[in-house]
Amino acid sequence: MARMKFVCDAERCIECNGCVTACKNENEVPWGVNRRRVVTLNDGVPGEKSISVACMHCSDAPCMAVCPVNCFYRTDEGVVLHDKDVCIGCGYCSYACPFGAPQFPAQGTFGVRGKMDKCTFCAGGPEVNGSQAEFEKYGRNRLAEGKLPACAEMCSTKALLAGDGDVVADIFRNRVVQRGKGAEVWGWGTAYGSRQAGQPPAGAKS
């Protein structure tokens, strides 16, 4: 079974926000909530980088660990979803998530901001696939239709990749190798360790 993952290639992202618009349009996200956003690092400085950020559907998701009512669950494809009928809107997941993915759908005093909302990898929720109830709570279930998330499909430079984690990682790894860069590329060390692109792992036989 594929493990679905996102990867954003900071060398290709042009900060067009097409992914943000595609997500809001496809899922009819509540006003004031952005399930996906583009963050620019070192804005205005030579070498600035932009990256598209949303729920990364972590293998060891901190939102799942801190939820007091266990409303979060992981699908067979590795997508982290939550049940809004169980969620009590405490916000613990929002504080725990390093990407700021879970959000309150409304402003105001605590207790009236509603149930948490987050990126679903366009995989819907616990309701029947393709049902109106699922769409109204979680947005469109594109995975059930055999499609990838709208944000990745609409990325004009293919900076944002989504799908089987192994396939996505191979695509990104090949891009880095072709660029002739390795450990100095932003994010490379986290994804693949500190070795240079194209070099075999330490201890590997030649």
Side-chain angles (χ1 to χ4, degrees):
M1 179 67 72
R3 300 283 291 181
M4 297 299 179
K5 294 294 180 183
F6 282 122
V7 169
C8 184
D9 188 344
E11 299 291 321
R12 286 195 177 205
C13 182
I14 58 175
E15 199 184 356
C16 69
N17 281 280
C19 53
V20 177
T21 303
C23 175
K24 291 186 74 70
N25 181 69
E26 185 75 2
N27 298 299
E28 297 185 10
V29 178
W31 180 261
V33 173
N34 283 323
R35 291 182 177 179
R36 178 167 289 282
R37 64 192 185 281
V38 176
V39 177
T40 300
L41 308 173
N42 300 320
D43 195 8
V45 177
E48 72 175 35
K49 302 290 184 186
S50 294
I51 184 169
S52 181
V53 180
C55 175
M56 297 303 286
H57 302 278
C58 306
S59 298
D60 186 16
C63 57
M64 297 181 70
V66 301
C67 180
V69 293
N70 295 319
C71 77
F72 287 90
Y73 63 98
R74 183 179 290 106
T75 69
D76 292 338
E77 294 176 316
V79 179
V80 177
L81 301 176
H82 74 303
D83 188 337
K84 289 188 177 183
D85 291 334
V86 177
C87 176
I88 59 174
C90 67
Y92 284 9
C93 54
S94 180
Y95 297 119
C97 177
F99 306 103
Q103 302 167 59
F104 287 105
Q107 300 295 323
T109 58
F110 187 80
V112 299
R113 289 176 283 185
K115 306 296 181 72
M116 306 306 290
D117 189 89
K118 66 178 283 295
C119 161
T120 65
F121 206 89
C122 287
E127 273 75 11
V128 177
N129 288 345
S131 66
Q132 185 62 26
E134 181 186 52
F135 178 75
E136 290 176 356
K137 289 182 182 178
Y138 307 99
R140 194 167 309 283
N141 190 338
R142 292 172 59 89
L143 256 61
E145 299 170 3
K147 302 174 182 177
L148 290 174
C151 55
E153 288 202 348
M154 289 300 293
C155 181
S156 59
T157 62
K158 300 305 175 190
L160 182 61
L161 303 172
D164 184 337
D166 292 335
V167 175
V168 167
D170 284 341
I171 293 172
F172 181 62
R173 187 183 297 109
N174 289 335
R175 286 181 183 178
V176 173
V177 170
Q178 289 175 4
R179 291 171 189 155
K181 298 180 179 179
E184 74 276 14
V185 173
W186 186 83
W188 179 271
T190 302
Y192 306 114
S194 60
R195 62 190 177 86
Q196 293 287 334
Q199 291 184 350
K205 295 181 180 180
S206 58

